[in-house]
Amino acid sequence: MNEEKETMVEVDDDLSFVNQWVDKLSHGKSFTLFVESFRPEMNCEDRVRRENALKRICLVVSKLPRGYPWELSQVELLMNFFLKNYDNFDTPNYFILTALKRLLMNDLHVGSNYIQLFVDILFRRGQVQICAQKERFLFYQILDILLSKYSKELSTNTHFVSYFISSISGERDPRCLILVFVSFVLSANISALVRNFPRNLFDVHASDLFDVVACYYPIEFNHNSKERTEITKELLVSGCESCLLIDEEFAPFVFELIVEKLTDVEYSMDTKLEVCSFLAKACTVFSCYQLLNHIDQLCAGIRSVLFNLPKSTHDDYIPEPISAAISSMLKALDESNIKVPILRLCFSED
């Protein structure tokens, strides 16, 4: 009971302190004086006092109004301060991540050296997956901001692709996965990794980049009523498929993945029909010659699905996803003047 009272007092003290300093800074108080006022606590040998001081600084920065008139020197000063004190905690800390995110969100553009230091400290060590969900969510939000705002700076960091892969590998929380998929697509679309980034380096990592997302396909998601309702299977499927279709280098991997899922006896008929719908999309995105390299295996996969339709199904019935997949393959081949007889496409012997 006494411990609970002490905790409540600490929270009240923090809130009062934060509100006072937010008001002072909003009315022109110097940021340098604000940080300097913590020098005794930050330099003391008591780890708890150091952590508490850093927490309070983070809270103040995080609570400043959205329209706060930042100066570039202030942002860089605070970013440098937080990064230098990042190791004060045994694991990535929610408060310091929140403050760093807040600094990145302003309209100013910090120097490249700060971004390189930022990326190296936060992502080089591969600590993301050891964190709790709320910290991981912040990491991915920060990653999204970096990709959106600092693509040029990231494109000069030859280690960023490997940092990116290690940061998102193994993520299982659907709330985080939505951000992972967005960041993955963004990383390609904004040319940070694919166009401006040395193409040969992307090619080297193409298989690993593909695998880090392909492990989620096909999406299996049972909504929990306790979770946020905006996370749906459809949203996750759309995000995952967008990642898999984002680059031509992924084409052979995608068609191999589709063949694997179509012929896997562990998957239900509904899931295999979803895979057929994905095949239809892949045919509209990737080169016809990539499709041609896998046509026999894809035909065999589609036939296996047709032959395993429920016995109650009419003999002449072809589910719409299968029809769409066949039509997309034929259209892709026809547009490239490649003729593949329909009997070979669907029903020929192996």
Side-chain angles (χ1 to χ4, degrees), residues 19-116:
N19 289 337
Q20 289 177 21
W21 267 106
V22 166
D23 184 65
K24 290 178 182 179
L25 292 170
S26 297
H27 288 85
K29 192 75 172 182
S30 168
F31 246 111
T32 302
L33 291 177
F34 166 63
V35 175
E36 284 294 321
S37 68
F38 287 92
R39 184 179 292 276
E41 287 90 344
M42 294 301 300
N43 290 336
C44 75
E45 296 183 1
D46 188 335
R47 182 185 180 92
V48 175
R49 286 186 64 193
R50 292 200 309 272
E51 289 183 356
N52 188 56
L54 187 56
K55 173 187 170 183
R56 285 188 161 191
I57 297 172
C58 291
L59 285 170
V60 170
V61 171
S62 302
K63 296 296 183 181
L64 285 170
R66 184 173 294 273
Y68 181 79
W70 290 98
E71 295 179 7
L72 184 59
S73 59
Q74 294 173 338
V75 174
E76 293 182 341
L77 170 71
L78 285 168
M79 188 174 289
N80 189 56
F81 172 78
F82 288 136
L83 292 174
K84 284 188 174 181
N85 287 281
Y86 189 76
D87 288 331
N88 268 12
F89 301 98
D90 293 329
T91 59
N93 180 271
Y94 178 82
F95 296 104
I96 202 167
L97 289 172
T98 302
L100 286 168
K101 173 192 166 186
R102 179 69 178 82
L103 291 174
L104 284 175
M105 289 175 64
N106 67 74
D107 294 332
L108 300 172
H109 205 91
V110 302
S112 176
N113 56 319
Y114 288 96
I115 296 303
Q116 301 304 342

Side-chain angles (χ1 to χ4, degrees), residues 79-247:
M79 188 174 289
N80 189 56
F81 172 78
F82 288 136
L83 292 174
K84 284 188 174 181
N85 287 281
Y86 189 76
D87 288 331
N88 268 12
F89 301 98
D90 293 329
T91 59
N93 180 271
Y94 178 82
F95 296 104
I96 202 167
L97 289 172
T98 302
L100 286 168
K101 173 192 166 186
R102 179 69 178 82
L103 291 174
L104 284 175
M105 289 175 64
N106 67 74
D107 294 332
L108 300 172
H109 205 91
V110 302
S112 176
N113 56 319
Y114 288 96
I115 296 303
Q116 301 304 342
L117 180 64
F118 193 107
V119 170
D120 284 344
I121 290 179
L122 262 68
F123 296 100
R124 181 185 61 190
R125 303 170 190 178
Q127 290 182 301
V128 176
Q129 289 305 315
I130 69 172
C131 299
Q133 187 275 335
K134 67 176 184 177
E135 280 86 18
R136 299 201 312 277
F137 193 81
L138 270 173
F139 267 112
Y140 299 136
Q141 287 181 315
I142 288 171
L143 186 59
D144 184 60
I145 296 170
L146 287 171
L147 287 165
S148 300
K149 190 175 178 181
Y150 293 99
S151 59
K152 182 178 179 181
E153 288 79 2
L154 296 181
S155 71
T156 64
N157 189 325
T158 56
H159 300 291
F160 182 70
V161 176
S162 59
Y163 295 169
F164 181 77
I165 292 171
S166 66
S167 296
I168 66 178
S169 294
E171 182 56 60
R172 302 299 298 175
D173 187 276
R175 294 162 294 182
C176 291
L177 277 177
I178 293 295
L179 288 179
V180 166
F181 294 152
V182 169
S183 293
F184 194 99
V185 172
L186 185 61
S187 69
N189 284 342
I190 66 172
S191 304
L193 299 181
V194 179
R195 305 292 184 261
N196 293 338
F197 200 86
R199 184 67 211 187
N200 63 325
L201 189 56
F202 178 85
D203 293 345
V204 167
H205 288 284
S207 178
D208 291 333
L209 282 165
F210 180 82
D211 288 343
V212 81
V213 174
C215 66
Y216 301 109
Y217 188 83
I219 293 290
E220 296 179 359
F221 177 65
N222 296 316
H223 188 270
N224 187 326
S225 60
K226 295 181 180 179
E227 294 175 350
R228 295 166 60 177
T229 56
E230 64 265 30
I231 306 299
T232 64
K233 179 179 179 179
E234 291 73 22
L235 192 59
L236 289 166
V237 169
S238 175
C240 183
E241 290 184 351
S242 296
C243 294
L244 298 176
L245 299 176
I246 199 64
D247 192 88

